[in-house]
Each structure stands twice: as structure tokens, then as C-alpha cells.
Amino acid sequence: MLISSLFYSLLASIGVLLGSDTSMVEAAIQARQLQAEARRANAELSMIQHSNPLPESGGENRLEKINAEQLPESITPITADDALPLSITVDETDDNMPLLIEMADGPVDDARDYEFIDHPPSNDKKYLHYPDWFKKSQLNLHHDLKVAAKQNKNLLLYFAAPNCAYCEQLQDVILEQPDIKTYIRHYFDVVGINAMGGIVLTTPEGILTTESEYAASEETYFTPSLLFYVYDKTLKKAHSVLRLRGYYPAYVIRAALDYVQGKEYLKESFNEYIAAVKPPPPKDYTLHKNPLFMLPPYQLERRKTPGKRPLLVIFEQGQCHACDRFHQQHMTNPDILEKLKQMEVVQFNLQGDTPLTTPQGRKLTASAWAKKLGLFYTPSLLFFDEWGREILRIESIVGLHRLNVALDFVLEQGYRNYGPNLMRWYMHKLRNQSKQQRTLMNKK
């Protein structure tokens, strides 16, 4: 596997040195063709060892084919016959392979994905840019999706915000990795959208709105957010098949690209898919301890008797680099700890069999609840109000600044006026603080 990855990287690098994007893609695809059988064998072996039952499939493992009548009728995969010819020959027989996960030598964490400061710049200048290889769109996303479909591509919407450190990290570190960049450019058209912007756009479904209203309607409460669209050529309708809120490490982005391009959404949810490509650690793996964490029994129900404090539920798992960093950096920070003391905090193992009663009164195990919530990343933080209603969730990489803002949002009950839209609440709060400062300056 390592040799294959090095070979792929070498060929991709040749394309870069030649200064040609086409050469880079051709080299990558040639590498795919030469390594297809070896990858297929490795993938099948891995999936057999770590197979998960498909939803409502009677225990079939994910290697077995699904009958046509089991597929959702609302989604019709786009075939090569319906597309405009590409300038590069694609190995169509290999399109359903989970390429990027294998090419990257497995679903592993890279320390570079986490090494950045998430606090925005102190100046008031709003800075937002997109990579030059993104599609130059007029923000008629309905048209963009049709154009992408004719080219046998999918549409990837990238929601960003000015002065967003997570957006910069995604663009500069994750999307610039040769395998990811090559794969996206060949199989996706990417359109950048300012989640705080006011430019009028047409959604993939043909609805006229603005950038910020569209971002809110798609629940992109953290930037960057990625929204993947496919086009049903029979019904002539757009379908969003995956949404990623927030900044994720490279292995999640690779899995998401494979999931959409390989049409795995026709078979299973993303949390089931990624659990198969990245097998979980042992259930009995010891998690980090903290005196703030609630002790069993875990009776979290708030539907009948409201809680006196907000509830924070943290899902973690063993052998988790992001969890280790969360405890080393966040759970030792005085400001974070002071705010957490004003909440009820409970920790669960994402794969654990710990019995609990959810805030809405359901009796489940920790793993069953996590599956029902659709969680796949750890640590995931879920905030609930006094009546057990979910306020907000953070299911991506979170730094000190973003976590502090989220805790303030919950403790100050910003959700009462802004729903889960933390970004709008925070911008409103900053504007008010700026007005107050100017008022004080004028009085002096």
C-alpha cells in the first residue's frame, strides 16, 4: 500500500512539475488503472474484516450487491452515455472504488490537519478568497449543476466566511494535497459561497435567494461547510446527498469524496460508510477522565422535569488523536473549564454499550444513540437546553476560539433569538460590542 501511494504521488508530482493540470490528472488516472486490481483486493479484504450490515438489509455485508428495487427511486445515477465527452479517458469500471482512502495509505490522522490557530484576525478587514481552480460561477447553481452533470461531474458547494481560520486551513492544507485536489478537479465542480454574503443566487433546486439565507437554510452553521449535490436526469431534480459542517481532517474529506463519487449514498449513510473504511477501536478502550463528567446512572431525560443547567454530551472513542488534543488543550483551559462548570457534562464512548436515557426520554445504549444522531466523528459535542431540545452540535475539529464562542452562545441563550445559527448571533454580538466601545469613546 505504501509503495502504491508513493507511486501515485510521484506521477501526480510529474504533472505539477510539467505545469499542466491535465498532465497531473492523466498521471493520477494512469496510476489508478495500473493499481486497480491490487487496490480492489486490499479493499475487499478490509471490508470483509470490518463489514457493517446495510440498513434494513437483513444482515448483508456491504460487499454484496443491492437489488435495483432497493435503491431510492428519486435518485438516478448519471451514466457516461448521458454526459458530454471528457478530454481525458476515465476507467469507468473502477469508479466505485474507495480510491482516495486507499491511495493515502489508509484513513489516518495527520498532525498538520490540526496545527493552526483558530482565532480570527484582530483587525476589522474582511478577507475571503477561494482557490483559483474553483469554478467561476455566476451563482446560478441550478445551471451549474446541469453543466456539471453533462460533464459527468457532481457539484460541490463550499460555504466559507471572511476571516475564517478553518476555511484557510481547509484550502491551504487539505484541498492542496495532490490526491485530493486532482480527484476533486476531475470529478467535481466546486463553487464558493460566502455564508455571510448578500449576493442573490439561484439554488440547485431553482429557488431565488441570497448567499446568507441559503447558507442558513442548509444549516451551514459552521464554516467551512461542504454540500454535495447530484442531479437526477430522469426527474430533472437536484439532490443533496451529503453535508459536512465545519473543518475536518483529510481522511474525512477523502472518504466524503469517495462516498459521493462512488454513489455509496444509494446504499448507506455516511456514518455507516466511514465506519467501514475506518474501523473503530475496541469498545473497552479507556477514555480520558475528568471530574466535571457526570457519573452513572445516565438519566438525561428533561422532557418532564426541566434541567437547571444546559447539558453538554461529548461522544469520544479510543485511539482518537482529536480527542487527545481536546483534553490536552481544551479541558485544561481555565476559560473553558469555568464555562463548563455552568453546565451538566457527560461523556460517552461512540461504540460503547453504556445504557442511558436520552434527553427526550428514550432508553438506548451510547452506540445506538450515536447512530441515531448520525455521528461519525469524535469528539462530537451536542448541547441541549433545559427541556432536552438540541441547541447546537459541533461534530468537526474545534479550536479554543470556536469552542469558547459556542459555550457563550449556549450560556447566554443566543439560540432563543437565532436558533442554531451561532455565526449570526456572534456577528450581532460583535457589532453590539463595537457600538458600545464607540459610545464610550465618544463620552470621553
Side-chain angles (χ1 to χ4, degrees):
M1 180 62 69
L2 179 58
I3 295 175
S4 297
S5 180
L6 291 173
F7 180 61
Y8 171 83
S9 300
L10 176 61
L11 288 176
S13 299
I14 292 173
V16 175
L17 292 173
L18 291 175
S20 167
D21 291 334
T22 301
S23 298
M24 184 178 180
V25 175
E26 288 176 334
I29 294 175
Q30 288 171 15
R32 286 177 50 200
Q33 294 170 340
L34 291 172
Q35 299 169 55
E37 291 305 318
R39 291 201 312 273
R40 189 182 303 277
N42 287 335
E44 290 180 352
L45 177 60
S46 175
M47 289 179 184
I48 288 172
Q49 292 173 338
H50 306 291
S51 60
N52 273 8
L54 290 169
E56 302 177 2
S57 64
E60 298 171 304
N61 75 48
R62 65 189 305 275
L63 285 178
E64 297 174 314
K65 291 185 177 180
I66 301 178
N67 295 329
E69 53 267 23
Q70 290 179 274
L71 301 180
E73 294 181 357
S74 60
I75 299 180
T76 303
I78 299 167
T79 65
D81 294 336
D82 302 307
L84 295 175
L86 291 174
S87 59
I88 301 171
T89 302
V90 181
D91 178 10
E92 297 292 347
T93 61
D94 199 32
D95 272 352
N96 291 326
M97 292 295 293
L99 300 171
L100 290 178
I101 287 291
E102 298 163 35
M103 285 294 195
D105 205 26
V108 295
D109 273 323
D110 187 331
R112 294 177 304 165
D113 297 351
Y114 303 87
E115 293 172 354
F116 69 103
I117 298 173
D118 75 324
H119 200 288
S122 57
N123 58 55
D124 293 331
K125 184 178 180 181
K126 294 184 178 180
Y127 178 66
L128 174 63
H129 78 286
Y130 307 116
D132 58 10
W133 52 271
F134 276 22
K135 180 181 178 67
K136 303 299 185 289
S137 171
Q138 298 299 316
L139 293 185
N140 184 339
L141 305 179
H142 184 67
H143 174 74
D144 290 341
L145 181 60
K146 287 186 176 181
V147 171
K150 287 181 180 179
Q151 296 176 339
N152 206 25
K153 291 184 176 182
N154 299 307
L155 184 66
L156 173 54
L157 304 182
Y158 168 78
F159 294 86
N163 295 341
C164 168
Y166 295 88
C167 304
E168 296 295 311
Q169 182 75 0
L170 177 68
Q171 293 175 193
D172 297 343
V173 176
I174 306 297
L175 299 187
E176 286 301 317
Q177 296 190 26
D179 62 328
I180 293 177
K181 183 176 180 180
T182 300
Y183 196 80
I184 292 177
R185 297 189 70 175
H186 191 64
Y187 289 115
F188 296 84
D189 277 345
V190 188
V191 175
I193 298 173
N194 182 353
M196 309 300 294
I199 296 177
V200 175
L201 60 75
T202 304
T203 72
E205 295 83 4
I207 300 170
L208 205 63
T209 183
T210 64
E211 290 176 295
S212 60
E213 291 301 324
Y214 180 48
S217 70
E218 291 295 343
E219 301 179 350
T220 58
Y221 302 132
F222 292 105
T223 54
S225 284
L226 302 178
L227 189 59
F228 295 82
Y229 266 92
V230 299
Y231 185 72
D232 184 327
K233 68 178 183 64
T234 303
L235 300 178
K236 297 182 179 180
K237 287 186 178 180
H239 296 273
S240 110
V241 295
L242 180 63
R243 180 191 292 108
L244 296 180
R245 298 186 191 90
Y247 167 74
Y248 287 93
Y251 83 84
V252 173
I253 302 301
R254 289 187 176 98
L257 295 168
D258 289 338
Y259 178 79
V260 176
Q261 174 58 24
K263 302 178 179 64
E264 298 294 335
Y265 51 83
L266 295 172
K267 306 174 186 178
E268 58 193 339
S269 64
F270 185 62
N271 57 308
E272 291 169 317
Y273 174 77
I274 201 169
V277 298
K278 187 179 182 183
K283 291 183 180 180
D284 58 354
Y285 198 96
T286 302
L287 303 181
H288 291 271
K289 305 295 183 182
N290 193 289
L292 286 176
F293 292 159
M294 184 188 302
L295 298 175
Y298 300 112
Q299 302 294 333
L300 308 181
E301 182 173 0
R302 296 176 161 218
R303 191 176 48 174
K304 298 177 182 178
T305 305
K308 296 180 180 180
R309 296 180 290 170
L311 171 66
L312 168 58
V313 179
I314 305 175
F315 282 92
E316 301 183 45
Q317 60 183 336
Q319 300 175 345
C320 167
H321 178 67
C323 301
D324 295 340
R325 290 179 63 93
F326 178 78
H327 283 271
Q328 292 163 5
Q329 298 182 4
H330 298 38
M331 297 300 290
T332 58
N333 182 275
D335 291 338
I336 297 292
L337 292 177
E338 191 61 33
K339 293 172 184 178
L340 289 179
K341 289 176 183 178
Q342 303 175 54
M343 301 181 177
E344 293 183 44
V345 186
V346 61
Q347 176 199 55
F348 293 118
N349 189 327
L350 192 73
Q351 283 85 35
D353 296 325
T354 304
L356 59 89
T357 303
T358 72
Q360 288 298 307
R362 295 196 61 181
K363 295 185 182 298
L364 297 169
T365 63
S367 59
W369 191 26
K371 184 176 181 180
K372 181 176 175 60
L373 292 166
L375 302 179
F376 64 88
Y377 183 79
T378 54
S380 281
L381 286 66
L382 286 77
F383 298 89
F384 297 86
D385 70 4
E386 68 270 26
W387 293 103
R389 295 170 297 201
E390 184 177 332
I391 300 169
L392 181 74
R393 67 170 67 182
I394 304 175
E395 47 189 346
S396 55
I397 293 176
V398 59
L400 282 172
H401 175 72
R402 178 165 285 184
L403 181 56
N404 262 307
V405 171
L407 294 173
D408 288 341
F409 176 74
V410 174
L411 292 171
E412 296 175 24
Q413 299 185 344
Y415 53 89
R416 294 196 181 278
N417 293 323
Y418 291 86
N421 202 326
L422 177 146
M423 290 176 61
R424 284 193 174 184
W425 169 82
Y426 183 58
M427 294 301 295
H428 181 75
K429 181 177 179 178
L430 291 180
R431 283 195 294 268
N432 284 343
Q433 289 176 348
S434 179
K435 288 180 182 178
Q436 291 172 2
Q437 290 173 356
R438 286 197 297 268
T439 302
L440 290 174
M441 292 291 292
N442 291 333
K443 288 182 177 180
K444 292 180 181 180

